[in-house]
Amino acid sequence: MKTLCKLLLVTMVVWLGALSLTPVEASVANDPGYVRIYRQGASTFYLNKRSIAIENYNPPYYRLSVTTRTEYDPIMRFSEETKDGARMVFDYDYDNKTISLVGGRRGNRPIDVSRGEDWQYPAEAKAAALAAFRVVYGIPFY
């Protein structure tokens, strides 16, 4: 009987110790340093406010670089979930209300900021560009 109790006690201690070593969820949903900007299917995109860098400030021309984070629904856990996404750079022309995604394989690409068009490539580009401008300058771009 004593052996069985000791075995049970050791098993519980090992099991509880193993549970304490499991990684904590790295969700940024409640982190004030992130803003939810876009949702597409099982993916939710966040803008990392701490990552925004002002690369050019020459009104009405601006350049901001940002990092986004993609999180997936709990049923689709991927290891990449805890890492920030790629860095995106945007050129803004406030007078003409145009935004371009800078660089990449396809060069500079204009982003349609009209209210009717929601899809862009990458999917979060329009939302990230508009959110970053609002976070930095406190006014909406469009």
Side-chain angles (χ1 to χ4, degrees), residues 36-56:
R36 180 180 164 186
I37 57 170
Y38 188 75
R39 181 163 177 83
Q40 179 182 18
S43 305
T44 304
F45 297 92
Y46 294 89
L47 175 71
N48 182 345
K49 293 193 302 187
R50 294 178 285 257
S51 75
I52 299 173
I54 301 170
E55 296 185 6
N56 181 26

Side-chain angles (χ1 to χ4, degrees), residues 91-112:
D91 276 339
Y92 300 83
D93 181 346
Y94 194 80
D95 286 349
N96 294 320
K97 297 295 186 201
T98 59
I99 302 175
S100 294
L101 179 63
V102 177
R105 294 187 317 253
R106 300 177 186 173
N108 295 358
R109 292 178 282 160
I111 295 176
D112 184 359

Side-chain angles (χ1 to χ4, degrees), residues 22-121:
T22 57
V24 177
E25 291 299 323
S27 177
V28 295
N30 297 318
D31 186 339
Y34 289 84
V35 176
R36 180 180 164 186
I37 57 170
Y38 188 75
R39 181 163 177 83
Q40 179 182 18
S43 305
T44 304
F45 297 92
Y46 294 89
L47 175 71
N48 182 345
K49 293 193 302 187
R50 294 178 285 257
S51 75
I52 299 173
I54 301 170
E55 296 185 6
N56 181 26
Y57 178 78
N58 186 14
Y61 305 105
Y62 307 89
R63 177 176 275 190
L64 300 176
S65 61
V66 303
T67 302
T68 60
R69 175 176 284 199
T70 307
E71 290 196 340
Y72 302 94
D73 282 344
I75 58 171
M76 300 181 66
R77 293 289 184 211
F78 296 114
S79 61
E80 299 88 63
E81 175 183 43
T82 61
K83 298 177 184 170
D84 281 339
R87 194 105 175 123
M88 291 188 282
V89 179
F90 300 106
D91 276 339
Y92 300 83
D93 181 346
Y94 194 80
D95 286 349
N96 294 320
K97 297 295 186 201
T98 59
I99 302 175
S100 294
L101 179 63
V102 177
R105 294 187 317 253
R106 300 177 186 173
N108 295 358
R109 292 178 282 160
I111 295 176
D112 184 359
V113 292
S114 67
R115 296 181 193 273
E117 181 64 40
D118 283 335
W119 190 88
Q120 299 288 322
Y121 180 81

